[in-house]
Amino acid sequence: EAGVAQSPRYKIIEKRQSVAFWCNPISGHATLYWYQQILGQGPKLLIQFQNNGVVDDSQLPKDRFSAERLKGVDSTLKIQPAKLEDSAVYLCASSLGPWGETQYFGPGTRLLVL
Amino acid sequence: AQTVTQSQPEMSVQEAETVTLSCTYDTSESDYYLFWYKQPPSRQMILVIRQEAYKQQNATENRFSVNFQKAAKSFSLKISDSQLGDAAMYFCAYRSKGNEKLTFGTGTRLTIIP
């Protein structure tokens, strides 16, 4: 069974530029999560999708971050414009559904904003 | 809001020895899940072990076991017969039963000494 796929693995941009990350969850997983992991900290949930719908985006900085999950499968997370403090690893995870299933994580995308 | 505390930023253990990583959490809920995740340098977050709060028996997975003390809100991870491949960041995480959001601690970096 293929795991959660993410791309790109690394991205370096200048502040005020825009960037997008892509995630393909495990086949059949209805729930998808985006986490931000700043160096030295544990991951922090940015947004959670259940199929196409947003379940929780309370910690997503909506003035600059946006995310979508078209057709309930792949998802993209966008930052526009990026700030220096957005430098972090962005992790995507998926789970079967909202009934206590384990979350499986992708390899992450490391973003450096200069 | 729930919080997860890992008071040991770094730990080291001799190969083949046993090590225990500490985790405490704060919650007012009675039913929830606790997890230990491992994050090697490759960054892929891997589930090590999971515990359901209503189960009194401590979870075990091969060389990994937990000491779950519900009253004390403590959830430590014991790694027996440590191997070089166990070197990684270890994160303790909490999840409410009615909410899929994972709350992570700040992690413990485990070094295995050959």
Side-chain angles (χ1 to χ4, degrees):
Chain A
E1 179 183 80
V4 177
Q6 289 187 249
S7 67
R9 292 296 306 275
Y10 304 90
K11 191 73 177 178
I12 301 174
I13 61 173
E14 302 274 334
K15 61 183 179 183
R16 291 187 290 276
Q17 286 186 324
S18 63
V19 64
F21 312 127
W22 173 82
C23 173
N24 179 242
I26 292 172
S27 178
H29 280 197
T31 311
L32 185 147
Y33 315 78
W34 282 103
Y35 289 86
Q36 180 192 58
Q37 186 178 18
I38 293 172
L39 187 65
Q41 299 181 18
K44 181 186 80 173
L45 180 70
L46 291 176
I47 189 167
Q48 175 188 340
F49 290 95
Q50 180 64 28
N51 296 311
N52 290 346
V54 175
V55 175
D56 183 353
D57 64 356
S58 57
Q59 298 196 83
L60 186 75
K62 298 180 184 65
D63 58 333
R64 298 182 301 106
F65 284 65
S66 65
E68 61 181 8
R69 190 181 184 198
L70 299 176
K71 300 181 181 178
V73 182
D74 293 4
S75 177
T76 55
L77 175 70
K78 297 179 182 177
I79 307 175
Q80 182 180 9
K83 292 185 175 181
L84 296 177
E85 58 261 36
D86 297 333
S87 295
V89 175
Y90 291 84
L91 297 167
C92 180
S94 70
S95 65
L96 272 172
W99 44 84
E101 297 296 332
T102 298
Q103 294 182 26
Y104 296 90
F105 285 79
T109 296
R110 182 180 295 279
L111 173 66
L112 180 60
V113 182
L114 302 176
Chain B
Q2 291 82 18
T3 58
V4 177
T5 302
Q6 293 179 251
S7 58
Q8 306 155 314
E10 296 184 0
M11 292 281 285
S12 61
V13 63
Q14 206 82 28
E15 193 176 0
E17 296 296 308
T18 296
V19 64
T20 299
L21 308 184
S22 301
C23 172
T24 58
Y25 58 95
D26 186 28
T27 184
S28 58
E29 298 172 334
S30 60
D31 202 5
Y32 46 86
Y33 302 91
L34 294 164
F35 305 82
W36 278 99
Y37 277 90
K38 168 185 176 181
Q39 189 177 41
S42 66
R43 288 205 310 273
Q44 186 114 26
M45 194 82 77
I46 302 164
L47 178 68
V48 174
I49 199 163
R50 157 188 166 137
Q51 175 80 41
E52 297 177 55
Y54 70 88
K55 290 187 177 179
Q56 293 187 339
Q57 187 171 9
N58 289 324
T60 62
E61 286 288 341
N62 301 314
R63 297 182 296 107
F64 299 88
S65 62
V66 298
N67 183 2
F68 173 47
Q69 301 288 329
K70 191 172 183 179
K73 297 179 183 174
S74 170
F75 183 60
S76 61
L77 174 69
K78 185 172 85 170
I79 307 174
S80 304
D81 185 26
S82 297
Q83 300 176 0
L84 294 177
D86 295 334
M89 283 290 289
Y90 285 80
F91 290 96
C92 178
Y94 171 101
R95 190 175 75 74
S96 301
K97 189 158 190 182
N99 183 336
E100 293 182 74
K101 173 183 171 181
L102 280 173
T103 300
F104 286 87
T106 51
T108 297
R109 181 176 303 280
L110 177 65
T111 301
I112 310 296
I113 303 166

